[in-house]
């Protein structure tokens, strides 16, 4: 299997080099466009495939990157290799600024912000004529190597991006993004702050698009506002979804369809959007994993869980080895005139199971929400060990060592069991390995070896997955 | 100058409000929006054009047919691009409605042609001159129709049995179902009404803006901005937001030049969302943990 | 049936296509000589693309019937739609040059698109023949050797003609300018300002509008307040129509003299009842007595296209006439060059001695100093009468 992949990659690489260097300019240009589209797609794959947010404004970042390189080379006299990193930095900065208003919202609201951004960039590039050349755009943008070489450079960046994505999706930050997309509340409960994670995804997507834009400026030598129409942002989204959101090779497959299919059907070029729109619908209906997802299902059966005996002692010692005890004093909260929790004291010793009992409406869930950071108490203090956590948000509380499960259990359905456990152990950290052996051990406690990799709705399994992370447990009634 | 800006702003703004009303209706009942709403605007205008200019029907006959087509289109969108994904529990309806809108635009392009065509109207030929300012009668009719329809929707929601059922479904869909209210049918109905409102908007502006297969895209986007600004749950907020948006647009065009119009309006949208993430008039939605 | 292409098929397919295209490019003898057209075939100026296509097609028909070019090779027209978008036009030009292997590229109505293609053809050493877009810097682009030729109007000369007509026909002394906000509008701003100065009159002002605008009343109001007694319009059919509608709405019956952009689309339909008030410029009219070529072309048009029943139905005449003469001149250049090689073809154009054409009799149409075959003596002022374009007497 590995060998097939390596040989295939080598052949494709050889083919790309041959086309870029020896074929007439148009084919190199086509390949370069494919690489650039894939690059934007990889960025969007991080934002959509991992963090679950729809952006219809990637064209805006593409334009910014392109104009950055275009202006720096034609007006400021910089060389391409100096202009490109500067342009990318500019895009990163602008996206960080935009993320402040943008990520306060989600779903269709975020889509609107990204659309608005795209239109603003287009209008500014028309109006700021002294800088951007206005509607006529910029010509004579220098390419580092000529069309073939620049296309090859774009291919190189594209390959780099695709491989990086593969490793990134497995990394702590990548897992955190997927967790936030899958079950935001649960993610907060194990220490993953939603805003920083989504901001990271947003900026990464923008940077990828900006880099692609800079390459496009060099590849075509000419950019104008009309080079970045709104329909292009839709095409990027289409490429990612069609190819398979969240899959490493998804953007490549999707971009190949979007860029190369019109070439094969040159006579029907005017209907290409119709075909793509219909294609997107069909993919969404019957193959939500996209083309790459469908291929993966056929080619790669689920990884079988290793049959090696799990290290039960390691797992048990981790669970038993808890930190300080939980101490709550005088916790009180009122909603309007209704006092939900009136001065509760709670002492839960480590290594023991403590129960909170009460009739319906007594305020048990509210008390747990107050302690674990999902709601703010009006007064009172909460400590874990010697550390005070009163009123802190849930993800900070989780990092202090306190987590909670929910009445309706929410595992991260798009991650494997192992990744669920690893995430819990990471406690919201963005770096670090996450002790894999420990995670495997913990997983082994509740699994027989031939279970399917992805989490199924097993209440027992979920409890274990969620509570193995922090060092303290809060049982639910 | 101010008067012309006011007139253009109010007439455009009421169109945005009309289309945005559709967004609000569907979101309130189902938590989804129809990103193909712009295509409904175009559909109304295109069918009207085809019937009156192509088949030489009188307007009186053409308009109801065009609007029925829009209503049917709305139900089709709900059935194939929204319902399958809502039942699956995903957000894919967002992309699915975008895709369906693209499909309709391009089908119309293939059938109607790629050039913009005119829909002449007696209401957009001879202007009234009021105080040295020229106004087409159509530009007065549009806000009147827009506000009238908003009022009609409001009355429908609050004074009819159907409206009562709709409001019940908005408050608590599960309880509504338990009381034998067919929530699914109601959702389909709101999509039909939303598309109908958009179609009316399209027919009203066609004599001023000309009819083309891509005329709806920008309208849909701006109407969505208006719906968000108004808060996706407040119909009157949406109407006011629409008028405000239209006025801002007209003033920007008049005094800053039309190149900067979109910069001003879309920046205002982003700023408004930064300040009020649920829209200027929308309530905060509670997230139950 | 496999759901997706197997890996091998996915590899072989594009390689096979690429190889096939290379092969067809280098195939020899009795192969057609391809000529490419990048023009607006959709959108508001679709009619312009249609007109150019017709002119080229009629000419190609005649040439092929007379034995073709370069010893019996037939001419073949390959078209691409630029959608009035410079980036798309550039991509289409690249494709036609590299993939289709065209010997020459014909341009369309949009100056910004032609301006984007010019550097490409100069770098690729493939001749580019403009047949409509009039921006001055398309042919006067500073390249040496310059591969760009044009059988069409030149903005700097058109602007002189427009000012002259405004003064002569309407007695205008302070015209105001309404210009589209792009490279074409900019080209004319320079030309009109210079022409007004040369004619000794002052401009009341100059206003811009976007191609997609619908309401130009603010700009027109400002011109009116500045005392404009005529409006000189530069824009394509859709915005031009909206300018006229805005004039109608403001009830301002000022004379309008326009560049030919409005003739590229359905201007009378979009502009409504005031469309006929606009005087605009063309390089040819099929009305009135025609020379032999004119009669022949008109007959061929009526035979081939059922919607053309008389001279008034050739709308727009510019696209058809310019393209026809440009194609015939190309055939002559090919004969002079003896090959379809770009460099030789360029020399061929410069070596054409004379040609009895449709628009006029050409003598040494292209020289090193001047790549524009037409000048201001070839212009004619017209207006719309219903859907037909008629010359204005006098």
């Amino acid at each position: 299997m590995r060998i097939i992949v390596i040989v295939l990659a080598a052949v494709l690489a050889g083919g790309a080099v041959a086309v870029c260097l020896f074929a007439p300019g148009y084919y190199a240009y086509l390949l370069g466009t494919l690489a650039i589209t894939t690059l934007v797609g990889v960025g969007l794959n991080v934002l959509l495939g991992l963090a679950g947010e729809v952006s219809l404004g990637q064209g805006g970042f593409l334009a910014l990157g392109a104009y950055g390189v275009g202006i720096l080379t034609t007006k400021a006299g910089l060389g391409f290799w100096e202009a490109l990193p500067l342009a990318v930095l500019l895009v990163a900065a602008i996206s960080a600024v935009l993320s402040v208003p943008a990520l306060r919202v989600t779903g269709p609201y975020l889509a609107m912000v990204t659309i608005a951004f795209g239109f603003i960039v287009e209008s500014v590039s028309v109006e700021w004529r002294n800088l951007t050349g206005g509607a006529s755009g910029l010509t004579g943008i220098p390419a580092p190597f000529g069309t073939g070489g620049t296309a090859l450079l774009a291919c190189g960046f594209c390959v780099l991006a695709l491989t990086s994505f593969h490793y990134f999706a497995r990394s702590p930050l990548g897992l955190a993004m997927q967790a936030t997309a899958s079950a935001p509340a649960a993610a907060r409960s194990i220490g993953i702050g939603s805003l920083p994670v989504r901001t990271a995804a947003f900026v990464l997507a923008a940077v990828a698009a900006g880099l692609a834009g800079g390459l496009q400026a060099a590849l075509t030598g000419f950019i104008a506002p009309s080079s970045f129409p709104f329909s292009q942002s839709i095409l990027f989204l289409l490429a990612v979804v069609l190819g398979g959101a969240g899959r490493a090779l998804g953007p490549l497959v999707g971009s190949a369809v979007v860029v190369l299919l019109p070439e094969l059907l040159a006579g029907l070029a005017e209907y290409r959007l119709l075909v793509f729109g219909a294609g997107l619908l069909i993919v969404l209906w019957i193959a939500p994993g996209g083309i790459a997802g469908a291929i993966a299902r056929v080619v790669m059966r689920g990884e079988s869980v290793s049959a090696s005996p799990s290290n039960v002692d390691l797992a048990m010692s981790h669970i038993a080895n808890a930190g300080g005890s939980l101490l709550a004093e005088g916790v009180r909260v009122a909603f309007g005139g209704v006092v939900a929790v009136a001065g509760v004291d709670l002492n839960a010793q480590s290594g023991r199971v403590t129960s909170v009992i009460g009739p319906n409406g007594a305020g048990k869930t509210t008390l747990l929400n107050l302690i674990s950071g999902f709601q703010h108490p009006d007064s009172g203090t909460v400590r874990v060990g010697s550390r005070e956590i009163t009123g802190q948000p849930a993800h900070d509380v989780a990092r202090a060592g306190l987590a909670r499960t929910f009445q309706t259990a929410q595992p991260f359905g798009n991650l494997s069991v192992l990744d669920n456990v690893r995430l819990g152990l990471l406690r919201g950290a963005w770096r670090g390995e996450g002790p894999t052996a420990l995670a495997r051990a913990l997983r082994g406690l509740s699994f027989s070896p031939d279970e399917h990799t992805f989490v199924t709705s097993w209440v027992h399994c979920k409890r274990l997955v969620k509570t193995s992370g922090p060092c303290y447990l809060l049982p639910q009634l | 100058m101010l008067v012309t800006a006011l007139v253009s702003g109010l007439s455009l703004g009421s169109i945005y409000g009309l289309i945005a009303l559709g967004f609000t209706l569907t979101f309130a009942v189902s938590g989804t929006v129809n990103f193909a709403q712009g295509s409904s605007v175009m559909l109304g205008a295109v069918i009207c054009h085809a019937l009156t200019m192509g088949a030489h029907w009188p307007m009186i006959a053409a308009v109801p047919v065009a609007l029925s087509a829009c209503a049917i289109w709305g139900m089709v969108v709900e059935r194939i691009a929204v319902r399958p994904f809502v039942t699956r529990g995903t957000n894919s309806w967002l992309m699915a409605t975008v895709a369906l809108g693209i499909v309709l635009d391009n089908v119309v392009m293939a059938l109607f042609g790629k050039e913009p065509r005119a829909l002449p109207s007696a209401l957009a030929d001879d202007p009234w001159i009021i105080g040295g300012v020229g106004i087409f009668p159509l530009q007065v009719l549009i806000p009147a129709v827009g506000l009238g329809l908003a009022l009609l929707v409001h009355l429908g929601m609050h004074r009819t049995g159907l409206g009562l059922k709709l409001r019940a479904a908005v408050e608590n869909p599960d309880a509504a179902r338990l009381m034998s209210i067919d929530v699914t049918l109601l959702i389909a109905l709101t999509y039909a009404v939303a598309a109908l409102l958009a179609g009316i908007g399209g027919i009203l502006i066609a004599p001023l803006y000309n009819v083309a297969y891509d005329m709806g895209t920008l309208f849909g986007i701006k109407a969505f901005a208006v719906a968000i600004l108004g808060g996706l749950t407040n119909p009157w907020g949406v109407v006011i937001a629409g008028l405000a948006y239209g006025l801002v647009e007209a003033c920007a065009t008049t005094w800053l030049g039309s190149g900067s119009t979109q910069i001003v309006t879309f920046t205002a949208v982003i700023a408004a969302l930064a300040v009020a993430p649920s829209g200027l008039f929308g309530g905060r939605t509670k997230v139950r943990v | 049936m496999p759901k997706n292409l197997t890996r091998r098929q996915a590899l072989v397919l594009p390689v096979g296509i690429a190889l096939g295209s290379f092969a067809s490019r280098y195939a020899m003898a009795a192969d057609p000589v391809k000529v490419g057209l990048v023009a607006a075939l959709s959108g508001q100026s679709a009619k312009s693309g249609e007109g150019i296509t017709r002119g080229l097609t009629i000419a190609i028909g005649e040439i092929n019937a007379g034995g073709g070019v370069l010893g019996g090779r037939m001419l073949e027209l390959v078209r691409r739609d630029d959608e009035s978008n410079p980036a798309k036009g550039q991509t289409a030009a690249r494709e036609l040059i590299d993939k289709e292997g065209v010997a020459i590229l014909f341009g369309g109505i949009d100056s910004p698109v032609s301006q984007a293609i010019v550097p490409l053809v100069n770098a690729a050493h493939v001749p580019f023949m403009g047949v409509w877009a009039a921006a001055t810097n398309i042919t006067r682009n500073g390249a040496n050797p310059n591969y760009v030729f044009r059988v069409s109007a030149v903005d700097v000369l058109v602007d002189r003609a427009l000012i002259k007509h405004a003064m002569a026909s309407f007695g205008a002394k302070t015209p105001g300018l309404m210009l589209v906000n792009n490279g074409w509008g900019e080209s004319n701003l320079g030309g009109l300002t210079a022409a007004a100065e040369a004619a000794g009159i002052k401009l009341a002002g100059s206003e811009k509008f976007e191609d997609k605008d619908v309401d130009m009343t603010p700009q027109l109001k400002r011109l009116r307040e500045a005392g404009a007694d005529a409006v000189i319009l530069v824009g394509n059919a859709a915005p031009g129509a909206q300018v006229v509608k805005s004039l109608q709405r403001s009830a301002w019956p000022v004379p309008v003299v326009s560049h030919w952009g409005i003739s590229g689309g359905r201007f009378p339909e979009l502009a409504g009842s005031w469309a006929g008030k606009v005087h605009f410029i063309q390089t040819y009219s099929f009305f009135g007595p025609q020379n032999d070529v004119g009669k022949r072309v008109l007959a061929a048009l009526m035979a081939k296209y059922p919607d053309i029943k008389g001279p008034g139905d050739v709308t727009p005449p510019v696209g058809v006439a310019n393209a026809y003469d440009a194609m015939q001149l190309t055939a002559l250049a090919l004969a002079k060059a003896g090959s379809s090689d770009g460099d030789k073809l360029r020399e061929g154009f410069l070596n054409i001695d004379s040609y009895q054409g449709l628009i006029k009799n050409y003598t040494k149409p292209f020289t090193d100093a001047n790549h524009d075959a037409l000048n201001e003596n070839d212009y004619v002022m017209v207006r719309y009468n219903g859907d037909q374009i008629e010359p204005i007497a006098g």
Side-chain angles (χ1 to χ4, degrees), chain C residues 181-364:
Chain C
N181 187 15
N182 64 18
W184 185 40
E186 278 166 23
S187 167
N188 284 285
L189 177 61
L192 285 164
T193 315
E197 213 178 286
I201 61 171
K202 266 189 70 86
L203 295 172
S206 144
E207 294 285 337
K208 289 189 300 200
F209 56 85
E210 302 295 322
D211 194 64
K212 289 212 169 307
D213 274 352
V214 224
D215 182 12
M216 284 72 160
T217 37
Q219 293 98 320
L220 291 168
K221 192 146 203 237
R222 283 193 284 265
L223 284 179
R224 191 176 191 174
E225 282 164 5
D229 53 7
V231 166
I232 303 194
L233 170 65
V234 175
N236 282 345
Q242 297 296 29
V243 169
V244 169
K245 279 193 105 89
S246 302
L247 277 175
Q248 188 182 8
R249 180 146 33 115
S250 321
W252 185 25
V254 66
V256 181
V257 179
S258 171
H259 206 319
W260 60 17
I262 57 175
S263 62
R266 297 177 183 266
F267 181 74
E269 183 188 307
L270 297 175
S273 41
W274 280 30
K277 293 179 182 241
V278 178
H279 289 199
F280 60 102
I281 199 166
Q282 295 278 286
T283 49
Y284 192 71
S285 170
F286 282 95
F287 274 93
Q290 306 276 305
N291 59 21
D292 289 331
V293 184
K295 291 185 197 142
R296 195 174 69 222
V297 170
L298 195 52
L301 282 167
M302 292 200 285
K304 195 167 167 72
Y305 301 108
D307 59 304
I308 298 183
K309 299 183 189 61
D313 297 320
V314 185
T315 43
V318 159
V320 178
N322 292 0
Y324 177 87
D325 270 349
M327 188 66 237
Q328 295 285 12
L329 284 167
T330 304
L332 288 173
L334 280 167
K336 285 275 180 193
S339 106
S340 61
D341 166 65
D343 293 309
K344 298 215 178 79
L345 185 52
R346 193 192 83 92
E347 293 289 326
F349 275 112
L350 296 170
N351 287 332
I352 297 176
D353 297 312
S354 70
Y355 158 60
Q356 308 246 355
L358 173 63
I359 298 174
K360 68 177 192 181
N361 287 341
Y362 300 82
T363 323
K364 270 242 157 271

Side-chain angles (χ1 to χ4, degrees), chain B residues 199-250:
Chain B
I200 294 177
I203 296 176
L204 283 173
I205 56 165
L208 294 172
Y209 281 72
N210 298 320
V211 180
Y213 75 93
D214 58 354
M215 65 185 283
T217 319
L218 208 50
F219 270 102
I221 292 173
K222 292 183 185 176
F224 186 59
V226 164
I228 284 186
L229 286 175
L232 274 173
T233 49
N234 185 337
W236 284 114
V238 154
V239 170
I240 296 174
L243 292 174
Y245 192 97
L247 281 172
V248 169
E249 231 188 19

Side-chain angles (χ1 to χ4, degrees), chain A residues 48 52 54 56 98 100-102 104-105 107-113 115-117 119-120 122-124 126-127 185 188 230 234 237 241 270-274 276-278 280-281 284-286 288 365 369 374 404 406 410, chain B residues 27 33 35 80-81 84-85 88 91-100 102-104 106-107 109-110 114 217-218 221-222 224-225 228 231-232 256 258-260 262-263 266-267 269-270 273-279 289:
Chain A
L48 175 67
V54 173
L56 283 167
L98 183 65
V100 170
R104 296 193 64 190
V105 297
Y109 295 86
L110 177 60
M112 181 68 234
V113 170
I115 294 174
F117 173 69
F119 277 102
I120 292 174
E122 187 187 340
S123 288
V124 168
V126 171
E127 286 306 292
R188 273 155 59 210
F230 174 58
I234 300 186
L237 192 63
V241 175
E270 53 194 35
Y271 298 114
R272 68 184 186 285
L273 277 180
L274 176 62
F276 291 148
L280 179 57
L281 265 177
L284 286 172
W285 279 330
I286 62 178
T365 309
N369 283 348
F374 280 88
R404 61 164 293 177
F406 300 92
Q410 302 171 40
Chain B
F27 188 79
V33 291
F35 262 88
I80 67 177
F85 303 106
R88 272 187 226 170
N91 280 348
S92 304
W93 50 265
L94 208 158
M95 290 184 283
T97 50
V98 171
L100 198 51
I102 292 176
V103 167
L104 182 70
N106 282 275
V107 166
M109 177 189 86
K114 299 176 230 176
T217 319
L218 208 50
I221 292 173
K222 292 183 185 176
F224 186 59
I228 284 186
L232 274 173
L256 297 175
S258 52
S260 56
Q262 288 189 348
I263 302 177
F266 281 122
T267 311
V269 169
I270 296 182
L273 277 178
V275 165
S278 308
V289 171

Side-chain angles (χ1 to χ4, degrees), chain A residues 354-356 364-365 368-369 403-408 463 473-477:
Chain A
T354 306
S355 301
V356 177
K364 303 184 297 299
T365 309
L368 291 175
N369 283 348
R404 61 164 293 177
T405 58
F406 300 92
Q407 237 166 306
T408 47
R463 290 269 166 75
L473 311 179
L474 278 182
Q476 291 285 300
L477 280 175

Side-chain angles (χ1 to χ4, degrees), chain A residues 42-254:
Chain A
V42 171
L44 191 52
N45 207 8
V46 171
L47 184 59
L48 175 67
L50 297 184
E53 297 284 7
V54 173
S55 163
L56 283 167
Q58 293 308 97
F61 293 117
L62 186 77
L64 279 177
Y67 270 103
V69 165
I71 293 171
L72 288 171
T73 50
T74 57
K75 307 249 168 166
L78 290 178
F80 174 78
W81 291 109
E82 297 151 328
L84 188 63
L86 285 176
V88 171
L89 268 168
L90 176 71
V91 171
I94 293 182
S95 68
V97 168
L98 183 65
S99 73
V100 170
L103 293 174
R104 296 193 64 190
V105 297
T106 181
Y109 295 86
L110 177 60
M112 181 68 234
V113 170
T114 57
I115 294 174
F117 173 69
F119 277 102
I120 292 174
V121 169
E122 187 187 340
S123 288
V124 168
S125 59
V126 171
E127 286 306 292
W128 202 346
R129 136 168 307 130
N130 292 339
L131 194 62
T132 65
S136 311
L138 298 169
T139 52
I141 301 171
F145 304 116
T147 311
T150 313
L152 207 52
L153 178 69
C155 292
F157 273 114
C158 169
V159 167
L160 198 64
L162 286 169
T163 9
S164 306
F165 182 88
H166 176 77
Y167 290 108
F168 179 76
R170 305 242 122 296
S171 76
L173 182 53
L175 287 178
M177 288 181 188
Q178 293 171 79
T180 307
S182 165
R188 273 155 59 210
S189 81
I190 59 170
I192 297 174
S194 153
L195 191 59
V197 160
R198 289 162 66 227
T199 306
F202 192 79
V203 172
L204 279 173
V207 162
L211 177 62
L215 289 167
Q216 179 175 330
L219 185 67
T220 54
F222 159 80
I223 53 170
S226 56
S227 312
F228 311 105
F230 174 58
S231 55
Q232 206 182 26
S233 289
I234 300 186
L235 279 179
F236 289 136
L237 192 63
L238 177 92
V240 171
V241 175
L242 196 66
R247 302 248 155 218
L249 286 180
L252 181 60
V253 174

Side-chain angles (χ1 to χ4, degrees), chain A residues 1-17:
Chain A
M1 177 71 194
R2 267 265 152 116
I3 302 190
I4 298 180
V5 170
I6 292 179
V7 167
L8 185 69
V11 169
L12 281 175
V17 172

Side-chain angles (χ1 to χ4, degrees), chain B residues 133-193:
Chain B
V133 171
I135 303 176
F136 284 132
L138 187 58
Q139 291 179 289
V140 173
L141 183 66
I142 290 175
V145 171
L147 287 172
L149 281 172
L151 192 63
L152 219 64
V153 168
H154 176 89
L155 288 175
M157 293 277 277
H158 290 267
R159 296 259 197 273
T160 65
L162 185 62
L164 185 60
K165 288 186 192 167
L166 204 64
R167 281 184 292 133
V170 169
E171 278 291 328
N172 192 336
D174 292 323
R177 280 199 179 90
L178 287 172
M179 306 197 40
S180 75
I181 294 177
D182 189 342
V183 176
T184 316
L185 182 63
L186 278 179
I187 295 178
L189 216 62
T190 51
Y191 266 83
V193 169

